[in-house]
Amino acid sequence: MEFRVLGAVEAYTAGVPVDLGSRQQRLVLGLLLLEPGRALAVDRLVELVWGSDPPASARSTLQALVSRLRACLRRAGNPMDADPPEVIEILHTGAGYLLRVDPGSVDVHRFTGLVARARQADDERAVKLFGLALTLWRGDPLADVAPTVVRDRLCVGLREMMWTAVEDRLEALIRLGRSRDALDELGKLLAEHPFRQRLVGQLMLVLHRAGRTDEALATYRELRARLVTEFGLDPTPELRQMEAAILRADPTLDVPPDSPPPLGDLVRRGSGDPPARPAELPHAPGGFVGRRAELTALDAQLDAVRHGGGPGIVVIDGMGGIGKTALALHWGHLHRNDFPDGQVYRDLRGFSPGDTPMPPVEALPRLLLSLGVPPSDIPPTVDSQSGRMRSLTDGRRLLIVLDNAYDAAQVRPLLPGNLAGLVVVTSRRRLPGLVVREQALPLSLAPLRPVESVDLVAGCLRRSRPDERTALAEYCGHVPLAIRIVAARALDLPERPLGDLLDELREGSRLDAFVGPDGPDTNLRAVFSWSYRGLSPPAAELFWRLALHPGESVGVHAAAALAGVSVLRARELTAELHRANLLQLPAPDRYQFHDLVGAYARELAEAPENAAQSRPVFDSLLNCYLHTVSAAGRVLQPHRPHVSPAPPAPVEAMRVETYQAALGWCESERTNLVPMVRAAASRGAPAYAWQIALAASAYWYITKRREDWRIATRIGVAATRAVGDRRAEGALLASLATALCESRRYTEAIDLYQKSLRLHEASGDWDWRATSLNSLAVAHAEAGRPDEALATFALAREEHRLRGNRRGEGVALQNMAQCHVLLGQPGEAIDRHEEALTAMRDAGDRYAEAICIANLGEAHAELGDHERAIRRFREAVRLHLSTGNEHGRARTLLALGRSLSERGDDEARSCWRQALAVFNELGDPEADEIRALLGEPATTDS
């Protein structure tokens, strides 16, 4: 029999169609034919046939459908003259239903087999095999039996395989010189599928070779315009590189290459061809010049590795824009055949603007995926991932490029143990640790020699004159990135003589040389000025005002405050800056500069014509932050004392009326809060500095961002003293004491609490006095002084009772309960916890309510009542999750795991692992306690 699923589901025996029954019956057969020899679970079949809401009778109906299919296949598959008779059976296994059939009798499997053979064949044979494979397609798989949503789930990979086969066949045709045949087919295919970018690239190449270069470039421009208009996207890097090659009349485009199939094809052939053979090197920049000494050193290092005399690690360092990545990629492509096991590439984001360096815990899984490890098989820890990496690379002839590294500690876990190939690391920093410990070869890059930089200009601007090339190379300081940026601008202005462009550059200050170990910061200011001068006046003004923001990124409300406009207008202006490539959008309604663009914007902000406006503009920004973080603090901790912001609120302040909105805003501004406090203090705005620091402490307390909390609060304390505000100083000292207490620095905390109490009394701040009394008692308790703590808690409770603060009473009561625990009085502890829980519920404080419930659980656990403790712990975990108290959730999971472990429940380890993930993210020392419970080694500070 012959089965067809690439289109309508059909079956033929001896050329005669077989009646397969109803649509549902044919759908079941089609699903089994897609995966012959593999059992499909009954539940999965039911879902695919009837959807997410099947009838109650679905399973019995499925059984009847299978029974009728069996009868149908028996009649059609075993004719009297069959010798030997075909074996076509639907078997019921414990896992579901399985179809036994020869895959060669099913069109979809004949298709995949022909495609695999085509990729192993020479081009002439490949064209024929791809053609045979594609004739099997009569339409969308399962077209007449499955709804669109099911086809999309099951067949998206098949569709892409078909399109890849189409593109591979055309590529083989082009290599064979049959461009006319390819051109006819490409025109028809792109008329129906205009966004298949590989087809567009093939059409551009064919047109260019046919002498129709203008049409090739017009094809690219038309696609780019449609992508931007309809999807807001740019063409792929490969297509952009094709356009650039055509523009510079790259001679390699004129002759069809006789190279073997791309290594990427070998990777795509499937999991049946281990080990994976990655080919991840990005396209190297064209027109590479110079670096002969470095290329020779890389060659020598590879030779040393081959003969067992070298460590196989090279570190290329140099300032930003000097060409480190270009050198690594250029050499890698030159020596691709020396690494038959493949090439792996990873950008470690060491100096990516607005981004954090990629930690090993993120980089290692990506490297393992590149080496063919399925996601489900990636080990859970950095150590185990690093071990798997070493095992997979042992003795293999791989090139591994670790680009844009931050430091040696980031790179070291990623290194293979016994690689027969080479690891090339690039970084803006020198990495002496790798040189000394791993004996890596260091290569430090200097600017190009003058003759080399002139050659680079000539390669970018073929129509330029020798004197213009020399002048441009000298003006750019012989730095490759600077030369390429200026050349690209010149290409965008073809009607303008290069000499005129140079004259304009000379009108301002000359591009400065790159300075410092971390790369350039100001040498491209003239290039940026061209884009800046093309902005509308409001956008140009916002551009330099954004540089007044001291943090990593700017939210839309902060941008509106800086511009003095509405949020809607701020979005319009930032969109203009984004279009001009002067501003990046890392997330919706968030903006950031590239580091060099930011340096240029800061210079503009410091210019005399703008400096006079800078202070009131910065005050508007501080005002925006103060009112937003104050509102967030009131939502996050509504019952603690708060200070009303003195300046008037912005016209359009950020609304943070719900707990999630408040926490979400603080999280989005996490890396900005400390810089904002520091900038306020250093720029002569101490009142803003201490108010923002105090308001943000609610967020830092909840999320346990202790380092940020301590840094900002110390600045805030100094600011209160600068303005002589003793009331504010008392509040800031109490906040700092709490941050220290959270870090287990109890002696310092107690001293600061006592100082804050004296300031509260002197300034008549009784609300803060009650709060600080309670906090002082906590510090006594944590320091192992339960008697002093209990007496102080009693004072705090009475203060809160006299002031009608039910929530304050609850805090004191739950802390008194903890003292009873420390004194070995669990019964009294439970009584106080119950009273505290009632008080917190009366006050409506769900955050504190969760803590009370968790504390009750711990009290029951102390008495050995683990069943009751487990119920309380589970209740507390749910409540912690809803209030965003990740630290509280982790501590409760730790306690829950202990009680589960006491009754021998394996769920304990799952609880501990969840808690460990939170403590690791927060940098909490309790992480080591959990590692001990899990039997894992503790971390050590380096």
Side-chain angles (χ1 to χ4, degrees):
M1 288 185 69
E2 175 190 359
F3 295 96
R4 302 177 181 177
V5 295
L6 297 177
V9 176
E10 299 172 349
Y12 290 83
T13 182
V16 178
V18 176
D19 183 3
L20 296 174
S22 67
R23 181 193 67 81
Q24 287 184 336
Q25 199 165 299
R26 285 180 285 126
L27 174 55
V28 171
L29 177 61
L31 296 172
L32 294 171
L33 286 168
L34 286 176
E35 302 185 70
R38 178 180 174 185
L40 291 184
V42 170
D43 289 342
R44 177 166 170 78
L45 284 168
V46 167
E47 181 197 3
L48 292 171
V49 175
W50 284 280
S52 59
D53 188 22
S57 60
R59 295 174 74 90
S60 60
T61 303
L62 176 64
Q63 187 176 6
L65 292 172
V66 171
S67 178
R68 289 196 288 271
L69 276 173
R70 284 172 174 153
C72 176
L73 295 175
R74 278 196 300 271
R75 289 193 303 270
N78 293 290
M80 296 296 293
D81 58 349
D83 185 23
E86 290 184 89
V87 178
I88 304 172
E89 297 178 286
I90 301 178
L91 305 177
H92 186 269
T93 70
Y97 290 104
L98 177 150
L99 175 63
R100 287 182 58 195
V101 65
D102 178 11
S105 67
V106 186
D107 59 356
V108 65
H109 304 294
R110 290 204 305 278
F111 166 76
T112 57
L114 286 166
V115 167
R117 290 169 55 196
R119 291 195 173 124
Q120 297 283 2
D122 59 55
D123 286 339
E124 195 72 51
R125 180 70 174 153
V127 169
K128 295 178 182 178
L129 290 171
F130 279 129
L132 287 173
L134 293 168
T135 59
L136 296 171
W137 283 72
R138 298 166 293 109
D140 203 35
L142 310 179
D144 65 330
V145 294
T148 302
V149 65
V150 172
R151 296 204 305 274
D152 287 344
R153 284 177 58 188
L154 296 178
C155 305
V156 63
L158 271 177
R159 293 175 189 146
E160 189 57 33
M161 186 183 293
M162 184 271 291
W163 277 109
T164 301
V166 169
E167 293 162 346
D168 287 349
R169 177 180 171 276
L170 287 165
E171 196 167 292
L173 274 176
I174 295 169
R175 283 197 296 265
L176 289 168
R178 293 166 59 182
S179 295
R180 170 56 60 187
D181 295 339
L183 183 59
D184 292 340
E185 293 186 38
L186 284 165
K188 296 174 184 176
L189 289 167
L190 284 169
E192 297 181 12
H193 305 280
F195 297 112
R196 295 291 304 186
Q197 296 196 47
R198 189 178 173 197
L199 293 178
V200 173
Q202 291 170 339
L203 178 59
M204 290 169 64
L205 178 60
V206 170
L207 288 171
H208 174 65
R209 287 182 177 169
R212 297 159 64 180
T213 299
D214 289 344
E215 292 179 56
L217 294 172
T219 299
Y220 175 83
R221 289 192 295 270
E222 180 183 349
L223 173 68
R224 181 176 60 185
R226 292 189 65 176
L227 285 171
V228 171
T229 301
E230 298 187 30
F231 305 107
L233 298 174
D234 288 323
T236 61
E238 293 79 9
L239 209 56
R240 297 199 298 271
Q241 291 156 10
M242 173 66 75
E243 185 215 21
I246 292 174
L247 282 170
R248 66 174 179 265
D250 191 327
T252 61
L253 298 181
D254 298 332
V255 180
D258 55 359
S259 58
L263 289 181
D265 288 349
L266 298 177
V267 178
R268 289 194 296 270
R269 283 173 190 163
S271 59
D273 299 317
R277 193 179 179 189
E280 295 184 345
L281 292 186
H283 182 74
F288 185 88
V289 299
R291 306 301 188 199
R292 291 183 182 178
E294 291 82 3
L295 290 169
T296 300
L298 284 163
D299 290 345
Q301 191 72 358
L302 179 58
D303 287 339
V305 171
R306 286 171 173 166
H307 295 93
I313 305 170
V314 178
V315 178
I316 304 173
D317 69 78
M319 62 186 183
I322 207 66
K324 302 178 294 295
T325 302
L327 171 63
L329 296 180
H330 177 74
W331 185 85
H333 283 290
L334 284 177
H335 289 269
R336 183 173 62 180
N337 292 335
D338 291 317
F339 301 100
D341 290 323
Q343 309 91 43
V344 176
Y345 174 86
R346 178 59 49 208
D347 179 359
L348 297 182
R349 302 195 311 249
F351 298 90
S352 297
D355 208 346
T356 56
M358 182 183 293
V361 71
E362 179 182 350
L364 278 166
R366 297 188 182 200
L367 291 170
L368 292 174
L369 288 171
S370 297
L371 294 171
V373 179
S376 58
D377 291 346
I378 292 177
T381 67
V382 168
D383 287 343
S384 57
Q385 291 165 3
S386 191
R388 179 69 65 85
M389 173 79 177
R390 291 191 293 272
S391 297
L392 287 172
T393 56
D394 184 60
R396 295 182 66 184
R397 291 177 294 173
L398 280 162
L399 172 63
I400 301 175
V401 178
L402 301 176
D403 194 19
N404 196 11
Y406 183 73
D407 58 17
Q410 181 193 30
V411 172
R412 196 165 281 123
L414 315 181
L415 296 175
N418 186 30
L419 186 69
L422 206 62
V423 178
V424 178
V425 181
T426 76
S427 179
R428 288 189 185 183
R429 290 178 170 174
R430 298 179 188 272
L431 302 180
L434 292 181
V435 175
V436 174
R437 180 169 162 181
E438 279 74 23
Q439 296 187 346
L441 171 70
L443 292 179
S444 296
L445 299 191
L448 294 172
R449 293 186 299 121
V451 65
E452 295 169 343
S453 58
V454 168
D455 288 343
L456 180 56
V457 176
C460 295
L461 303 171
R462 292 180 178 276
R463 297 181 180 180
S464 58
R465 300 192 310 270
D467 60 320
E468 292 174 331
R469 296 169 188 170
T470 301
L472 179 55
E474 290 177 353
Y475 191 72
C476 292
H478 309 292
V479 175
L481 178 60
I483 291 170
R484 291 184 183 279
I485 291 175
V486 175
R489 183 68 181 187
L491 288 172
D492 283 341
L493 302 168
E495 74 287 348
R496 191 171 192 179
L498 181 57
D500 290 352
L501 188 58
L502 287 171
D503 289 340
E504 180 181 336
L505 286 171
R506 293 189 184 98
E507 290 175 4
S509 299
R510 182 184 180 277
L511 290 173
D512 289 341
F514 293 90
V515 293
D518 292 331
D521 59 0
T522 57
N523 78 314
L524 301 180
R525 71 168 69 90
V527 176
F528 297 147
S529 72
W530 303 327
S531 297
Y532 175 71
R533 293 170 189 170
L535 297 170
S536 68
E541 186 167 45
L542 177 58
F543 176 71
W544 68 259
R545 289 186 174 201
L546 287 170
L548 298 174
H549 192 292
E552 291 185 357
S553 64
V554 185
V556 67
H557 285 80
L562 286 165
V565 297
S566 68
V567 169
L568 180 62
R569 178 59 175 153
R571 288 194 179 106
E572 294 172 354
L573 296 176
T574 51
E576 182 181 347
L577 293 172
H578 180 246
R579 288 193 298 270
N581 288 317
L582 292 172
L583 200 62
Q584 298 173 346
L585 276 67
D589 278 348
R590 294 206 71 81
Y591 318 104
Q592 67 185 33
F593 286 126
H594 179 278
D595 53 353
L596 299 179
V597 177
Y600 176 66
R602 285 189 291 275
E603 285 193 354
L604 291 176
E606 294 165 3
E609 63 271 22
N610 296 327
Q613 303 178 50
S614 293
R615 181 52 192 266
V617 171
F618 183 58
D619 284 349
S620 295
L621 176 68
L622 291 173
N623 193 28
C624 174
Y625 267 87
L626 173 57
H627 281 270
T628 308
V629 75
S630 294
R634 282 182 167 78
V635 173
L636 295 174
Q637 286 192 306
H639 302 290
R640 76 166 200 168
H642 291 275
V643 177
S644 297
V651 174
E652 195 170 353
M654 175 79 178
R655 298 175 68 87
V656 284
E657 297 175 345
T658 67
Y659 191 94
Q660 291 305 319
L663 188 61
W665 181 85
C666 290
E667 282 291 304
S668 70
E669 297 289 342
R670 178 174 63 85
T671 59
N672 290 336
L673 292 172
V674 173
M676 197 63 62
V677 173
R678 184 180 286 117
S682 64
R683 300 182 194 179
Y688 280 112
W690 74 257
Q691 288 182 87
I692 293 174
L694 185 60
S697 64
Y699 162 67
W700 290 320
Y701 175 79
I702 287 172
T703 57
K704 306 306 175 189
R705 305 280 181 189
R706 301 184 182 97
E707 185 67 18
D708 288 354
W709 189 358
R710 290 195 300 268
I711 292 171
T713 309
R714 289 187 193 279
I715 296 170
V717 169
T720 63
R721 291 169 180 168
V723 297
D725 191 331
R726 303 190 70 193
R727 184 186 187 97
E729 183 184 351
L732 266 294
L733 283 175
S735 177
L736 178 57
T738 304
L740 292 170
C741 192
E742 289 287 327
S743 301
R744 303 183 180 182
R745 294 162 62 174
Y746 304 121
T747 302
E748 297 171 76
I750 289 169
D751 179 60
L752 287 177
Y753 280 132
Q754 290 169 343
K755 290 179 180 178
S756 72
L757 285 168
R758 290 193 291 271
L759 287 167
H760 298 326
E761 292 173 8
S763 61
D765 195 342
W766 305 112
D767 287 335
W768 268 105
R769 170 180 159 75
T771 299
S772 295
L773 272 172
N774 187 80
S775 300
L776 172 61
V778 170
H780 281 309
E782 294 288 347
R785 306 170 185 172
D787 292 318
E788 293 177 56
L790 195 59
T792 309
F793 280 132
L795 289 175
R797 180 188 182 185
E798 182 62 17
E799 286 273 356
H800 285 303
R801 189 189 66 79
L802 291 172
R803 305 191 67 78
N805 185 347
R806 190 78 172 109
R807 191 257 179 197
E809 279 190 80
V811 171
L813 282 164
Q814 72 175 340
N815 288 323
M816 291 172 73
Q818 293 297 95
C819 290
H820 285 301
V821 171
L822 294 173
L823 292 168
Q825 302 165 349
E828 289 86 342
I830 289 176
D831 291 341
R832 297 294 86 72
H833 280 313
E834 293 286 3
E835 292 178 58
L837 180 58
T838 300
M840 291 306 183
R841 285 173 172 165
D842 290 345
D845 189 338
R846 297 175 73 245
Y847 182 95
E849 179 185 345
I851 295 173
C852 288
I853 294 170
N855 289 338
L856 268 170
E858 292 189 4
H860 288 304
E862 281 289 320
L863 291 173
D865 189 352
H866 291 290
E867 291 301 323
R868 185 172 293 178
I870 288 168
R871 288 197 297 273
R872 285 297 195 180
F873 288 142
R874 293 192 192 279
E875 183 183 0
V877 167
R878 290 192 294 270
L879 201 51
H880 280 315
L881 193 61
S882 70
T883 61
N885 185 355
E886 283 295 284
H887 184 267
R889 183 171 72 92
R891 293 197 68 176
T892 307
L893 284 166
L894 172 59
L896 173 59
R898 288 199 184 98
S899 285
L900 289 168
S901 179
E902 286 292 329
R903 69 176 194 184
D905 195 323
D906 290 340
E907 187 189 349
R909 296 183 67 82
S910 173
C911 292
W912 290 336
R913 289 203 176 279
Q914 292 178 64
L916 179 60
V918 176
F919 285 143
N920 279 338
E921 200 274 333
L922 294 174
D924 195 290
E926 288 184 84
D928 285 338
E929 180 181 347
I930 299 181
R931 290 190 185 94
L933 290 169
L934 292 168
E936 297 178 357
T939 59
T940 57
D941 295 331
S942 56

